Amino acid sequence: MSSTRPGSPMTDPRDDLAVNRALWTVVNAEFTDARAHEAWSAKDFVWGLFGNPERQLCALGDVAELDVVELGCGTAYVSAWLARLGARPVGVDLTPAQLDTARRCQEHFGLSFPLVEANAEDIPLSDDSFDLAVSEYGACVWCDPERWIPEAARLLRPGGRLVFLTNSVQATVCVPEDGGHAVDRLLRPQKGMSRMKWPGGGIEFHPSHGDWIRILRENGFVVEALHELYAPDDAKTHDYYEIATAQWARRWPVEDLWTAQLTR
């Protein structure tokens, strides 16, 4: 099914899936596989490129005894953190290589939870199965929100919550066309940037704040909070992901952390 919303490109989602699966197979080989043990070993739950602590943001709340689905789990370190906090996570990801890394980490750390190979826009799990859906740079960046938000709503029980972290609108419009770090001026129009293809990269989705709110409301969610994340004073520039330097991210929000509750 192609997107038909005015202004949206007519695309075959299968093409986007193939591009993104290929990209993340390469990224896993170049970066995430080697860093997975370090991420799984982290004692604190932190958000994003610059490690903003969950204990300060309190976006998740108490997750003990909750059924949680992680949408676009990658190597599943977020699910591992959730499991250590007493949750019952299920990790969902499109890329077999990432899930293979996650399974090796499960064996190494003696921590077991289900891992499902699936597109977050079409997940083979039952309705009303989860209390919380989480995405940290997963489905919220790499899947069409017109498709994955309804799927998250389907999976959640009434009153369930959705928490997701994505690039900020400011960062997205300030990154050069050929990639690299954000600069201190606008480089592209915000209008029409919802679906983006980076040179040599994958297909990303970056709705405006207004579009996020519309999509969430259309699928039964009420926004609880939008946390605009900056780099802490002692943060260092990430050595792999280039979207912004720590200096830039101390001046402008580099990430948006959304929390919403399903009202049905």
Side-chain angles (χ1 to χ4, degrees):
M1 179 176 66
S2 296
S3 173
T4 57
R5 182 166 296 277
S8 297
M10 298 295 290
T11 62
D12 186 335
R14 292 171 297 183
D15 295 339
D16 291 354
L17 297 180
V19 169
N20 288 342
R21 184 188 291 111
L23 171 68
W24 280 98
T25 300
V26 172
V27 173
N28 190 72
E30 290 183 347
F31 178 73
T32 56
D33 183 79
R35 301 293 183 93
H37 277 215
E38 178 184 350
W40 273 65
S41 299
K43 295 182 179 180
D44 294 328
F45 195 122
V46 297
W47 291 101
L49 298 179
F50 299 103
N52 282 276
E54 164 63 17
R55 65 177 180 274
Q56 295 177 6
L57 295 166
C58 300
L60 292 169
D62 184 4
V63 300
E65 301 300 320
L66 296 187
D67 295 310
V68 184
V69 61
E70 185 184 358
L71 304 174
C73 67
T75 59
Y77 60 86
V78 169
S79 286
W81 297 346
L82 290 165
R84 293 193 185 102
L85 293 173
R88 295 182 291 270
V90 175
V92 176
D93 201 85
L94 177 69
T95 306
Q98 296 261 77
L99 295 176
D100 286 345
T101 297
R103 293 186 186 97
R104 289 197 298 272
C105 287
Q106 286 185 327
E107 184 176 354
H108 178 84
F109 288 92
L111 192 61
S112 180
F113 48 84
L115 296 169
V116 178
E117 183 183 334
N119 168 25
E121 300 169 2
D122 184 17
I123 301 173
L125 297 172
S126 300
D127 296 1
D128 302 335
S129 296
F130 298 95
D131 306 297
L132 176 66
V134 176
S135 176
E136 194 225 27
Y137 280 119
C140 56
V141 173
W142 302 98
C143 294
D144 186 341
E146 303 282 1
R147 299 186 179 101
W148 80 263
I149 292 288
E151 190 69 345
R154 180 186 69 79
L155 293 173
L156 287 171
R157 298 176 178 126
R161 298 179 67 243
L162 172 63
V163 180
F164 63 94
L165 179 79
T166 186
N167 303 114
S168 70
V169 174
Q170 291 94 326
T172 305
V173 297
C174 291
V175 173
E177 292 286 347
D178 58 353
H181 293 127
V183 299
D184 60 356
R185 61 191 182 279
L186 304 180
L187 297 181
R188 62 169 52 80
Q190 181 174 322
K191 185 177 181 181
M193 74 174 189
S194 179
R195 180 183 181 276
M196 300 181 64
K197 173 70 168 70
W198 297 103
I203 309 298
E204 299 183 10
F205 295 86
H206 296 289
S208 66
H209 291 161
D211 278 342
W212 274 124
I213 292 169
R214 172 187 56 77
I215 296 167
L216 289 165
R217 287 178 58 87
E218 287 178 352
N219 288 282
F221 288 100
V222 171
V223 174
E224 297 176 328
L226 167 57
H227 304 273
E228 296 176 302
L229 302 190
Y230 296 80
D233 291 342
D234 59 350
K236 297 181 180 179
T237 298
H238 201 280
D239 61 356
Y240 186 84
Y241 298 117
E242 291 186 329
I243 188 169
T245 64
Q247 181 182 15
W248 188 97
R250 281 192 281 269
R251 301 175 65 193
W252 295 283
V254 67
E255 293 157 330
D256 291 338
L257 176 60
W258 293 84
T259 69
Q261 185 173 34
L262 191 65
T263 55
R264 63 170 172 79

